[in-house]
Amino acid sequence: MTLPSESTPPPGDAHPIGFWGEAWRQYRKRKLALGALYFVGWLILVAILAPAIAGTKPIVCRYKGHWYFPATAYWNPAWENPVFYADRFRKIYPRNLKDKDPESWAVFPLVYQDPNRRVREGEWPGQPENPTGIDGVPNRWNWFGTNQAGVDVFAQMVHGTKTALLVGFVSMGIAGLIGITVGALAGYLGGVADLLLSRFMEVVMCIPTLVLILALIAILERPTIWHMMAIIGCTGWTTIARLTRAEFLRLREADFVTAAAALGVGRLRIMLRYILPNALAPILVPITFGIASAILIESGLSFLGFGAPPPNPSWGALLNSGRSNLQLWWLVFFPGTAIFLAVLAYNLIGEGLQDATDPKLREAAK
Amino acid sequence: MLTYLLRRCLIGGVTLLLISFVVYGLVRNMPGTPLTVQMGETDPSRRLNPADIERMRKSYGLDKPWPIAYVQWLGRLAQLDLGRSISRKQPVSRLIAERIGATLILSLVSLSLAYLLSIPWGLIATVRSGRLDERCISTALYVLYSFPTYVAALFLQIVFAVRLGWLPLFGMTSDNYASLSFGGKAYDVLLHALMPITCFTYTSLAYYSRFIRANLQEVIRQDYIRTARAKGVHPVVVIMHHAFRNTLIPLVTMIGLTLPGLLGGSVILEQIFTWPGMGRLFFESIGERDYPTIMGLTLMFSVLTLAGQLLADVLYAAVDPRVSYS
């Protein structure tokens, strides 16, 4: 992330490390913001390694002379090798591996629990059947308890991390793309284009988000998690567009833009290579806050019962299942805390980014 | 100023037309109609026969393509008629009037609480800036700001209603509400409102106090504050008279922006506490595909949002003599 040299105002003498280098230096000074960044990194790690943390399929196993990686089926069900269907494993590996091939060996995930089904008696040596309902309090085998149907909450939360992170990144990626395009066009072209695009922004901003989202979800026959992300992205770009427009309005008048235009640089090139890199820092801040609100919207929708369909474990869906019986406090406490921490982390990162990239605030901090 | 207002109102009118058109198209294209959704809920013996459905479709204007129905809706709106709710057999305006009180109880109380608490706290935080107590409370407020209200609502329900049993779990009134005296009624509603008000208040409290503090901190770095201090003005007077008065400008503009939230309620919170307010009405009407009610509420929210923005801009010009729109 460096500025293209042609768009930097004459470098003078003060900042040999560049704008983003300086911003990172400033960001690192903020302990909380840095901690939040590490936390999000840790969440990404958990999301990627989810099948190795909690699952009932071996990470790696040697069976009848071949190597298999059944745990990858949690990423994509199609990756589960058909040999296990043919040999009638019925998703239960530990017992069947030994029965059908005494020579076989396998490395299992840290926690033998499945996010989609209840673990039964005798699946894993010494592990009892998952309790259901009010008996599912957190215990040795179910760290975060179990839900009404006996499915482990810890496993669902570990696998739901992917949903929460993806929703944030993908929907804000879409929102950023739309918002920057609309805002840049409105700000740079001005005149009629600005008037029309600004009205468009206002219309999207004023339509109650819930109507927009619920109507779009209802129109789709079978909404998946990807549809949800697209819809959240398509409704959440207005703040980004407004800020981009303001930045482009400001920078349009800057000397280096006038100079570039005088040299005969094309409009598109001026927008992309000259103005955008200089406007990026203020735009990144609402995008970060947007990730937090996208996570909130997704879990809020799941909470209202309009979330992703069942095979996708999601924190919001867990919270919703806890709502029907508040005696099962662990169904509310753990996912609720997870949503809170993720939102807090993104807000802290956004705040840190704002402080680190805004020269006015930077002066004040000294 | 007058031409500015006129121009803004005209643009606002066009925006409203666009919004209502888009929303009308969206809700009419959702699968299911008010009649089929209702039918699915009732038992098969009471199912309407096709002739009745056809008659009802005609009487509610559901047999026409939606752009034509939209024009008809606009025509009635011009006569200040929001139409009749299909699923509740009542005029939409009366439905709104019935529900708005419940939402106002929550939003007015929590807004006043938020202002009453955040202004003093913003002032104290500026004076004691950087001290341990200030940093602790500021951090706590920041953390609260990120705390999702629906998670907080569930936590409160678990602790105060399920575990301790001090407060009623949901609803606005108890079953024996009608038999209570006036004082008893007020106390009953207060008990029911306590948890929702807490949830409504804490986020705005966190937001406003951060806002006030940020503005104050910018103001006290100004030269005239240094001048006032240098000439020996009492520190309290500097903060209250010189600094705080100037932070009122952004604060006043924010009142305009709270307008839609004041009357719109919150869908999720009212849903959790089964509070019979506007948010819940809105959510129910979407589920019932009750087109007139959805449109009436959308129109109300949009008018409030646009009016709030206009109010903010006008107030801005009113309190800050440097800003003028003529």
Side-chain angles (χ1 to χ4, degrees):
Chain A
M1 291 252 261
T2 50
L3 284 176
S5 56
E6 57 186 4
S7 64
T8 346
D13 44 309
H15 292 297
I17 45 174
F19 177 77
W20 292 104
E22 172 64 18
W24 172 236
R25 216 170 59 85
Q26 290 291 335
Y27 186 90
R28 264 189 323 195
K29 283 187 194 159
R30 288 164 176 78
K31 292 280 177 304
L32 270 175
L34 199 63
L37 199 63
Y38 286 139
F39 179 71
V40 171
W42 179 73
L43 280 185
I44 294 174
L45 219 63
V46 169
I48 295 173
L49 296 179
I53 297 170
T56 51
K57 302 176 200 291
I59 303 166
V60 51
C61 67
R62 190 157 173 86
Y63 177 66
K64 292 187 177 167
H66 292 282
W67 295 96
Y68 296 106
F69 303 92
T72 52
Y74 285 115
W75 290 328
N76 183 351
W79 291 350
E80 189 155 17
N81 200 296
V83 72
F84 298 113
Y85 291 110
D87 288 358
R88 293 167 191 240
F89 269 51
R90 296 207 174 90
K91 294 184 174 171
I92 294 168
Y93 282 86
R95 197 174 56 215
N96 283 320
L97 276 176
K98 278 278 169 272
D99 286 357
K100 294 185 169 128
D101 176 15
E103 298 280 285
S104 71
W105 59 269
V107 178
F108 276 91
L110 292 174
V111 177
Y112 186 84
Q113 286 292 352
D114 199 272
N116 301 319
R117 65 180 181 87
R118 184 181 179 190
V119 167
R120 298 285 177 172
E121 174 91 55
E123 274 188 37
W124 186 258
Q127 181 169 336
E129 185 171 57
N130 278 358
T132 57
I134 194 75
D135 297 323
V137 286
N139 57 51
R140 209 190 127 199
W141 301 104
N142 311 102
W143 294 350
F144 292 173
T146 60
N147 69 5
Q148 287 95 331
V151 185
D152 186 62
V153 173
F154 177 75
Q156 290 186 68
M157 283 194 48
V158 168
H159 286 262
T161 313
K162 185 185 79 177
T163 314
L165 287 178
L166 269 181
V167 163
F169 288 132
V170 175
S171 58
M172 272 308 113
I174 295 171
L177 210 64
I178 303 176
I180 290 175
T181 313
V182 171
L185 286 176
Y188 186 69
L189 298 179
V192 182
D194 183 24
L195 193 77
L196 289 178
L197 288 172
S198 294
R199 286 295 81 68
F200 180 49
M201 277 184 233
E202 219 167 72
V203 168
V204 177
M205 210 154 40
C206 277
I207 296 179
T209 327
L210 199 74
V211 175
L212 205 55
I213 292 178
L214 290 186
L216 290 173
I217 289 176
I219 288 168
L220 295 167
E221 283 295 313
R222 332 173 97 253
T224 66
I225 187 76
W226 298 98
H227 288 116
M228 303 265 307
M229 295 178 208
I231 289 170
I232 295 174
C234 290
T235 52
W237 52 269
T238 46
T239 333
I240 301 168
R242 262 182 27 182
L243 252 154
T244 314
R245 176 176 169 271
E247 282 297 307
F248 270 66
L249 269 179
R250 187 173 66 82
L251 288 169
R252 186 173 68 171
E253 310 296 334
D255 287 341
F256 69 91
V257 174
T258 319
L263 284 172
V265 180
R267 278 179 162 188
L268 192 68
R269 202 176 153 77
I270 289 185
M271 280 163 74
L272 288 179
R273 297 274 288 165
Y274 288 72
I275 304 185
L276 188 60
N278 287 296
L280 212 53
I283 301 172
L284 269 179
V285 176
I287 290 184
T288 322
F289 288 132
I291 294 180
S293 71
I295 293 176
L296 274 179
I297 293 175
E298 190 275 328
S299 34
L301 281 175
S302 303
F303 186 70
L304 287 173
F306 288 95
N312 294 302
S314 128
W315 295 345
L318 261 176
L319 206 60
N320 189 27
S321 72
R323 198 178 133 206
S324 52
N325 188 352
L326 289 172
Q327 293 288 343
L328 316 178
W329 57 267
W330 54 92
L331 283 182
V332 171
F333 180 75
F334 295 110
T337 310
I339 296 170
F340 160 56
L341 287 179
V343 170
L344 179 64
Y346 277 113
N347 280 343
L348 283 173
I349 292 176
E351 189 98 345
L353 209 59
Q354 198 165 27
D355 290 355
T357 53
D358 188 341
K360 221 166 68 188
L361 290 169
R362 205 146 68 194
E363 284 302 317
K366 274 176 192 166
Chain B
M1 190 70 190
L2 199 67
T3 46
Y4 172 78
L5 276 179
L6 262 172
R7 214 182 111 235
R8 281 290 296 261
C9 288
L10 266 177
I11 294 179
V14 175
T15 313
L16 280 180
L17 265 179
L18 273 174
I19 293 170
S20 57
F21 182 73
V22 171
V23 173
Y24 203 90
L26 276 176
V27 294
R28 278 297 292 266
N29 281 307
M30 291 204 275
T33 70
L35 304 174
T36 56
V37 171
Q38 265 183 323
M39 226 168 53
E41 286 165 5
T42 50
D43 55 316
S45 58
R46 283 177 55 206
R47 186 171 288 174
L48 299 164
N49 63 40
D52 280 342
I53 290 186
E54 203 44 49
R55 194 176 47 76
M56 286 176 76
R57 274 168 58 90
K58 268 222 167 61
S59 70
Y60 288 119
L62 299 177
D63 52 339
K64 299 187 184 67
W66 68 266
I68 295 176
Y70 172 70
V71 173
Q72 286 180 337
W73 179 81
L74 268 188
R76 274 202 299 277
L77 186 69
Q79 303 161 34
L80 299 179
D81 177 12
L82 284 173
R84 281 177 76 83
S85 159
I86 299 174
S87 51
R88 289 154 203 262
K89 319 274 189 273
Q90 272 190 45
V92 172
S93 43
R94 191 185 303 160
L95 268 181
I96 292 179
E98 270 172 17
R99 297 291 194 106
I100 206 157
T103 291
L104 275 178
I105 290 181
L106 295 189
S107 55
L108 281 182
V109 173
S110 62
L111 191 75
S112 343
L113 270 179
Y115 268 106
L116 278 179
L117 294 173
S118 60
I119 291 177
W121 170 245
L123 290 170
I124 295 170
T126 311
V127 176
R128 297 192 62 84
S129 178
R131 307 268 181 90
L132 185 68
D133 53 342
E134 185 270 333
R135 290 185 68 148
C136 284
I137 300 183
S138 290
T139 313
L141 280 176
Y142 189 78
V143 168
L144 267 186
Y145 174 64
S146 299
F147 206 90
T149 44
Y150 48 88
V151 175
L154 288 176
F155 283 10
L156 283 175
Q157 279 188 330
I158 289 180
V159 174
F160 291 103
V162 177
R163 294 267 143 174
L164 298 171
W166 292 350
L167 294 172
L169 189 56
F170 53 71
M172 190 170 149
T173 50
S174 306
D175 293 337
N176 61 346
Y177 182 71
S179 64
L180 292 170
S181 64
F182 179 75
K185 278 182 178 170
Y187 182 67
D188 189 46
V189 172
L190 174 75
L191 275 189
H192 282 86
L194 220 49
M195 286 197 292
I197 285 178
T198 314
C199 290
F200 271 111
T201 309
Y202 82 84
T203 33
S204 30
L205 173 65
Y207 182 73
Y208 291 158
S209 50
R210 278 171 56 77
F211 186 78
I212 291 168
R213 184 165 167 255
N215 281 313
L216 264 178
Q217 296 226 297
E218 203 169 308
V219 169
I220 59 166
R221 283 201 297 275
Q222 302 290 328
D223 288 338
Y224 64 86
I225 298 289
R226 196 179 307 140
T227 312
R229 282 192 177 141
K231 74 179 185 189
V233 177
H234 193 269
V236 174
V237 179
V238 172
I239 290 285
M240 291 305 294
H241 188 76
H242 294 76
F244 181 62
R245 273 174 66 107
N246 278 298
T247 60
L248 278 176
I249 295 172
L251 206 62
V252 161
T253 60
M254 218 160 69
I255 295 177
L257 299 180
T258 54
L259 203 61
L262 208 58
L263 295 174
S266 153
V267 171
I268 295 188
L269 278 182
E270 289 186 2
Q271 200 65 18
I272 294 177
F273 291 110
T274 37
W275 191 264
M278 303 286 281
R280 200 164 144 76
L281 177 65
F282 189 49
F283 188 70
E284 287 167 353
S285 64
I286 291 178
E288 291 162 1
R289 303 284 189 270
D290 189 358
Y291 306 139
T293 312
I294 302 178
M295 288 311 295
L297 288 173
T298 307
L299 189 74
M300 201 191 88
F301 294 146
S302 317
V303 169
L304 285 174
T305 311
L306 290 175
Q309 284 169 0
L310 183 61
L311 187 69
D313 289 346
V314 170
L315 282 176
Y316 201 61
V319 291
D320 191 342
R322 288 169 301 181
V323 179
S324 95
Y325 294 119
S326 41

